Amino acid sequence: MTTTADRSSSLVQVGVDKWLQMYRRMQMIRLFEEQVNELYTRALMPGLAHLYVGEEAVAVGICEALRADDYITSTHRGHGHCVAKGASPDRMFAELLGKEAGYCRGKGGSMHIADPATGNLGANAIVAGSAGIATGAAFAAKHLGNGRVAICFFGEGALGQGVVYEVMNLAALWKLPVIYVCENNMYTEYTHFTETTAGDVLARGTAFGVPSESVDGQDVRAVYSAATRLVDRARRGEGPSFLVCNTYRYTGHHVGDINREYYRPKQEELDWKTQRDPIKLFSDWLLSQKLADAATLARIEADVRAEMQTAVDFAIAAPYPAPEEAELHVYA
Ligand SMILES: Cc1ncc(C[n+]2csc(CCOP(=O)(O)OP(=O)(O)O)c2C)c(N)n1
């Protein structure tokens, strides 16, 4: 039997600055999303957003294992991926509010944030829509020999989409540097994943000879360790892998999904929030290892909170794009 101590000692160890950077990024995602919910509730944000709260350890654990020039592709629940890869919150909020300063000049909104400067090839409103893009990016990286790796984030709902298997097949044949990261938060919209997903999830990767494993998606150190290993492997030219991160979304499918008891019990949400919270688990570990004291963690949280407020204020005050450019940059 593997004890907690055994498992803990097998995890990748890094310096304290790196751990605190990860803690900061997790807080950035949580507090970013807090502001998004507030903007929605105050009717300042057009449309909807799908919050990433509860899943912070996945995006941060994966993206901290990447180089700045590595690629990610994201989903409809993409704010956490963008922040973890280095997007700037003020331009993200501006995009959500339809402002010119946004990543897509306000024309994409929550589900279409892309930031080529940080290797973010884009969120995607289509479930599994980015699987081909990530695989194509890995194909290009391999042929250019630039050593880049692509991460394809998707929810477990995407396991029902054929394109995932088409690209896994090609990635395995061509040994492409891509990691398929399935964020299993247990619910596909309003349906428990066991009602939509037959068989063994990991077998879907092993069927193609793709190394497949699962990890506790609430444990940022475990996600980071797995990601570091799989990214190194991909960079060495050993091909794709499939990583299932078991996690949970704290809030509704989208910000308007308030009454959820008909599809999941309140007690379940409470249990995850109180016993499996990724930020709490990580801060407890940092404190127990004496890598940080409570005052340091509180200061980081306060700094991030102030940064998010400044970013929201910027976005609210920012101008909309000129009406004449409504059809500019729009492809359909
Ligand atoms: C091809 C396609 N089918 C259906 C939808 C509608 N839809 C949007 S999100 C979603 C559920 C996605 O669930 P999952 O992939 O598990 O991600 P999660 O929302 O849990 O993060 C669905 C069905 C869509 N956007 N694209």
Side-chain angles (χ1 to χ4, degrees):
M1 197 181 96
T2 307
T3 65
T4 309
D6 291 336
R7 191 188 64 81
S8 198
S9 62
S10 68
L11 297 179
V12 173
Q13 298 300 326
V14 295
V16 63
D17 289 353
K18 179 81 170 175
W19 291 132
L20 292 182
Q21 154 81 357
M22 288 161 83
Y23 178 79
R24 185 182 156 78
R25 287 258 192 237
M26 289 170 78
Q27 286 287 9
M28 283 179 76
I29 296 172
R30 180 143 315 176
L31 299 177
F32 181 93
E33 297 293 51
E34 209 174 81
Q35 292 281 4
V36 174
N37 198 46
E38 181 72 13
L39 289 168
Y40 172 77
T41 311
R42 290 170 61 202
L44 290 173
M45 181 181 73
L48 291 169
H50 306 79
L51 303 184
Y52 197 71
V53 182
E55 305 189 27
E56 295 89 348
V58 179
V60 172
I62 300 283
C63 291
E64 286 293 328
L66 297 177
R67 284 190 339 210
D69 64 347
D70 285 332
Y71 299 113
I72 64 165
T73 64
S74 175
T75 68
H76 57 285
R77 198 177 301 287
H79 304 163
H81 308 140
C82 295
V83 169
K85 195 65 174 60
S88 127
D90 50 1
R91 292 190 64 197
M92 287 179 66
F93 282 126
E95 187 57 41
L96 265 59
L97 299 189
K99 302 298 181 73
E100 190 181 6
Y103 274 104
C104 303
R105 295 179 72 81
K107 297 172 185 176
S110 166
M111 286 186 277
H112 300 97
I113 294 175
D115 179 21
T118 58
N120 181 351
L121 300 179
N124 206 304
I126 305 300
V127 170
S130 75
I133 298 170
T135 309
F139 180 84
K142 173 151 185 154
H143 286 274
L144 293 171
N146 57 23
R148 292 179 179 179
V149 169
I151 300 291
C152 179
F153 286 109
F154 55 86
E156 81 287 350
L159 295 171
Q161 293 290 83
V163 64
V164 170
Y165 307 104
E166 294 178 42
V167 296
M168 266 191 195
N169 182 58
L170 292 177
L173 286 170
W174 297 338
K175 284 198 184 309
L176 301 183
V178 55
I179 301 163
Y180 299 100
V181 176
C182 175
E183 304 181 296
N184 184 0
N185 63 17
M186 300 198 343
Y187 293 88
T188 299
E189 289 193 335
Y190 320 106
T191 307
H192 195 273
F193 83 101
T194 52
E195 291 178 50
T196 57
T197 316
D200 174 3
V201 170
L202 291 181
R204 291 155 184 251
T206 53
F208 298 104
V210 172
S212 304
E213 59 185 272
S214 60
V215 68
D216 178 356
Q218 304 310 92
D219 180 347
V220 72
R221 295 183 305 126
V223 176
Y224 177 73
S225 282
T228 300
R229 193 162 27 75
L230 299 176
V231 166
D232 286 351
R233 182 180 179 281
R235 238 190 271 292
R236 286 196 303 269
E238 293 174 28
S241 53
F242 178 39
L243 181 65
V244 177
C245 300
N246 294 308
T247 184
Y248 196 76
R249 64 164 153 82
Y250 284 2
T251 55
H253 170 59
H254 55 67
V255 279
D257 173 21
I258 305 293
N259 298 315
R260 302 184 283 275
E261 278 179 276
Y262 73 95
Y263 74 90
R264 70 183 201 187
K266 272 194 170 153
Q267 187 60 44
E268 180 184 285
E269 293 188 2
L270 195 64
D271 288 347
W272 280 84
K273 288 178 188 172
T274 54
Q275 292 162 37
R276 305 288 310 134
D277 181 66
I279 296 183
K280 173 86 168 58
L281 291 174
F282 189 39
S283 57
D284 283 352
W285 179 79
L286 289 168
L287 294 171
S288 72
Q289 300 297 305
K290 303 203 182 328
L291 291 165
D293 56 21
T296 304
L297 298 184
R299 194 173 55 247
I300 293 173
E301 182 179 342
D303 286 352
V304 171
R305 198 172 281 283
E307 182 187 345
M308 291 304 152
Q309 190 58 55
T310 305
V312 167
D313 293 346
F314 164 83
I316 290 174
Y320 288 104
E324 309 82 81
E325 68 159 73
E327 289 179 16
L328 206 66
H329 312 118
V330 177
Y331 307 92

